[in-house]
Amino acid sequence: LRSVLDGGPAAAEAAHRLGLRDEPSIVLALSLHAPATDQLPHAALAAERKRVADAFSVHLMFAHPRATVGLIGEVAYGVLPVATTHDAEESAMRLANEFLARVRSSQQPFIGIGTIVEEIPRLHRSRSSADRALRVLRANVVDRAVARLEDVHAESLLLELAAPADEVPSGPLARLMAYDASHQASLVDTLRAWLDAMGDVTLASAAMFVHQNTFRYRLRRVAEVGRLDLDDPNVRFAVQLQLRLLSI
C-alpha cells in the first residue's frame, strides 16, 4: 500500500496486487493520540495501534469489498472505492464517525478524510489531504475527531506557518505582551477582541464585559504601547496572524 500512496511508476503494479481498480476512490488516514496522562509502553502502543487498524480494515471492507487498509508507521491508511463522487466525502465522514463510535481505545483515534480522486496514480493526492487534516486533529486545535481538509483548511495553513514553540513573538505583539506581563494589563486581549469583532467597538467591548469608553481607552493604549497603526490593513493582518499562530 505504501507504493500506491506514494505514487510513482510502481503505484499501478502495487495497486493491481492489492486488487485496487482505476475507479473513484478516497483515502482515510487514522492515527491514535495518547492522552498526556497515559504513557503506554512502546510495545503496548504498537499492539493497540495494530488492533485498531485491524478493526478499521474490517469496518471499511464491510462498506466496500475492495477497500484496503495498511499500517504505515503510526498511521493506518484506508483506500475506499466510491460508487459516485456526488457525496463520497460526506459518506466517508459518516463511515469514519460510525467507526469511532464503535471502537474502544484508551488512545483517542482521529481520522483525516482525503479528497476524491478518479484513478490510482492520483491516490497520493488524496493521501496528502488526509494527512494534512489528520495533523490538525492530532494537534488538538479543533474540537472534532474526523475532518476533511476543507473543514480545517485555515488551521492546517496556520500549523504549516507556526514557529517553533520556544520562539517568542516579535514586533508590536511582543511589546504588548511584555507590557501586559509587567502591568497586569489586558492589551493583547483588547487587540484580539477588536480584531475578532472586525473593528466593531460595541461588539468587542461586550465580549470583554467593559464599557465602550473603557475599551476605546484600552485600544488607544494598544496603539501607543505596541506602536501600531491600526488603520493600516497590513498591520492588522500581521498582528492577527501572529495572534492566531499563538493559539496553535
Side-chain angles (χ1 to χ4, degrees):
L1 186 59
R2 184 191 295 271
S3 297
V4 175
L5 296 180
D6 285 347
E13 182 180 345
H16 178 74
R17 290 198 302 268
L18 290 170
L20 296 174
R21 302 177 183 175
D22 258 343
E23 59 188 333
S25 300
I26 192 167
V27 173
L28 296 83
L30 178 150
S31 183
L32 302 182
H33 182 74
T37 57
D38 191 355
Q39 299 293 329
L40 277 185
H42 179 75
L45 181 57
E48 178 64 3
R49 190 177 290 126
K50 176 70 165 55
R51 183 189 70 81
V52 173
D54 288 345
F56 190 46
S57 178
V58 171
H59 188 72
L60 291 192
M61 290 185 70
F62 183 79
H64 197 291
R66 287 196 300 279
T68 185
V69 172
L71 191 57
I72 302 175
E74 297 182 356
V75 180
Y77 290 100
V79 177
L80 179 68
V82 294
T84 173
T85 60
H86 174 63
D87 61 350
E89 290 184 14
E90 290 78 6
S91 296
M93 292 274 288
R94 288 193 295 270
L95 193 64
N97 279 306
E98 288 169 3
F99 174 74
L100 295 188
R102 295 175 182 176
V103 72
R104 294 290 179 266
S105 176
S106 62
Q107 318 300 295
Q108 183 179 1
F110 293 113
I111 301 177
I113 308 295
T115 53
I116 305 160
V117 294
E118 298 290 339
E119 53 190 8
I120 295 298
R122 296 184 178 180
L123 274 175
H124 67 281
R125 298 182 183 179
S126 186
R127 175 194 182 176
S128 176
S129 58
D131 279 339
R132 291 178 65 191
L134 181 61
R135 184 188 178 200
V136 173
L137 297 174
R138 294 191 66 185
N140 280 325
V141 296
V142 294
D143 186 22
R144 57 198 306 168
V146 176
R148 301 167 297 178
L149 179 58
E150 69 177 73
D151 299 324
V152 292
H153 194 245
E155 291 81 2
S156 176
L157 292 174
L158 288 171
L159 280 176
E160 292 168 9
L161 289 171
D166 59 352
E167 185 174 321
V168 297
S170 59
L173 190 56
R175 291 190 285 272
L176 294 174
M177 292 175 70
Y179 184 89
D180 281 353
S182 60
H183 294 80
Q184 290 76 53
S186 56
L187 296 187
V188 172
D189 289 340
T190 298
L191 176 60
R192 181 183 286 110
W194 183 75
L195 290 169
D196 287 347
M198 299 182 67
D200 188 322
V201 170
T202 302
L203 290 178
S205 60
M208 292 198 68
F209 304 101
V210 298
H211 192 274
Q212 292 181 31
N213 289 339
T214 301
F215 189 88
R216 289 190 179 93
Y217 169 76
R218 291 181 182 178
L219 194 60
R220 289 196 295 271
R221 291 296 293 152
V222 166
E224 293 167 0
V225 173
R227 301 198 290 276
L228 278 163
D229 180 3
L230 295 177
D231 292 327
D232 186 333
N234 291 326
V235 170
R236 295 196 302 269
F237 173 76
V239 293
Q240 190 162 31
L241 181 60
Q242 279 189 302
L243 286 168
R244 288 297 301 275
L245 290 173
L246 280 176
S247 66
I248 294 296

